[in-house]
Amino acid sequence: KAGVTQTPRYLIKTRGQQVTLSCSPISGHRSVSWYQQTPGQGLQFLFEYFSETQRNKGNFPGRFSGRQFSNSRSEMNVSTLELGDSALYLCASSLWVDQPQHFGDGTRLSIL
Amino acid sequence: GENVEQHPSTLSVQEGDSAVIKCTYSDSASNYFPWYKQELGKRPQLIIDIRSNVGEKKDQRIAVTLNKTAKHFSLHITETQPEDSAVYFCAASRVGGGADGLTFGKGTHLIIQP
């Protein structure tokens, strides 16, 4: 069974631009969560989607948004990029909302 | 919201010895506690998890204990091997980790000395 797939793996952007990251969950998994990982702040929860609905959101500004499609694939978008948005963005999927989460390899976003 | 403290930040043990990593949480409503292992440049990998209706869970060389009263949980690795070297993260959440998201500790860098 294929794991969680995130694309692209690496991305370089400049301040003020926007970016869209993609996540394909494990086949059959309905819940997708996004996390930001930085050396200073560690792993922080961004948001979680289930059945195309955002169920919860972490403490991030409105520039961070996401969505989920009917096939459970998810995208997250960051607008007006700032230098501090440089991070590894990880997607995790679970079979249901109360099941263990499994992570993808992440997208490494660098802001110049 | 939930706050998870993890100690130590770095742990060095001799190969074959045991390693213990401890975490405390603040939200008494948290009921799910997973542990992830992340090797350099790789994805966090779920190694074991425990729910609040259980006090201890074991999987081969790995065990997790939970003390709900004191709001702390620990990871125990016995007979450590070189491949156990990695950063280990504890986390806490309500339900199964989906509804409110996982709150992670800052991580423990485990070094296995040959």
Side-chain angles (χ1 to χ4, degrees):
Chain A
K1 194 182 242 189
V4 178
T5 304
Q6 292 187 245
T7 57
R9 290 294 312 279
Y10 303 92
L11 208 47
I12 300 174
K13 292 286 187 179
T14 57
R15 282 183 299 173
Q17 287 186 310
Q18 73 166 18
V19 67
T20 299
L21 312 181
S22 180
C23 172
S24 293
I26 294 171
S27 178
H29 283 199
R30 301 275 302 279
S31 175
V32 173
S33 297
W34 289 88
Y35 295 84
Q36 181 195 66
Q37 185 174 28
T38 59
Q41 298 300 316
L43 280 153
Q44 294 184 286
F45 171 69
L46 280 157
F47 27 66
E48 186 251 350
Y49 287 88
F50 181 78
S51 290
E52 302 176 66
T53 301
Q54 185 182 90
R55 297 187 70 244
N56 203 31
K57 192 178 192 312
N59 190 26
F60 278 82
R63 300 185 297 106
F64 292 80
S65 63
R67 60 178 175 167
Q68 186 181 34
F69 303 95
S70 58
N71 61 358
S72 295
R73 191 178 70 85
S74 177
E75 290 181 346
M76 68 164 280
N77 183 278
V78 188
S79 62
T80 320
L81 287 164
E82 300 177 358
L83 291 177
D85 297 333
S86 293
L88 180 66
Y89 289 89
L90 291 160
C91 168
S93 75
S94 59
L95 193 61
W96 206 254
V97 295
D98 63 345
Q99 296 299 308
Q101 295 185 21
H102 299 275
F103 283 87
D105 288 327
T107 294
R108 172 78 60 186
L109 175 63
S110 298
I111 311 301
L112 304 179
Chain B
E2 175 65 276
N3 182 53
V4 176
E5 300 283 341
Q6 183 173 347
H7 299 281
S9 57
T10 303
L11 178 60
S12 181
V13 302
Q14 289 294 125
E15 181 179 350
D17 287 349
S18 296
V20 180
I21 302 171
K22 299 181 179 181
C23 290
T24 60
Y25 61 99
S26 61
D27 186 355
S28 56
S30 288
N31 56 9
Y32 176 65
F33 308 92
W35 286 87
Y36 286 86
K37 173 186 180 181
Q38 188 175 30
E39 296 175 71
L40 192 62
K42 296 193 175 181
R43 68 180 70 185
Q45 181 184 7
L46 178 68
I47 56 172
I48 196 167
D49 58 5
I50 192 168
R51 295 182 188 261
S52 60
N53 58 346
V54 175
E56 184 174 358
K57 184 176 179 181
K58 192 173 181 180
D59 182 5
Q60 299 183 0
R61 296 186 297 109
I62 294 174
V64 57
T65 58
L66 171 65
N67 183 325
K68 284 189 296 182
T69 304
K71 289 192 279 189
H72 69 69
F73 56 113
S74 300
L75 177 72
H76 304 254
I77 305 175
T78 59
E79 300 172 9
T80 52
Q81 300 169 5
E83 54 265 36
D84 294 330
S85 293
V87 179
Y88 291 80
F89 293 95
C90 63
S93 78
R94 302 180 197 180
V95 192
D100 296 305
L102 293 170
T103 300
F104 284 89
K106 292 295 188 186
T108 295
H109 186 192
L110 177 62
I111 301 166
I112 308 301
Q113 303 278 8

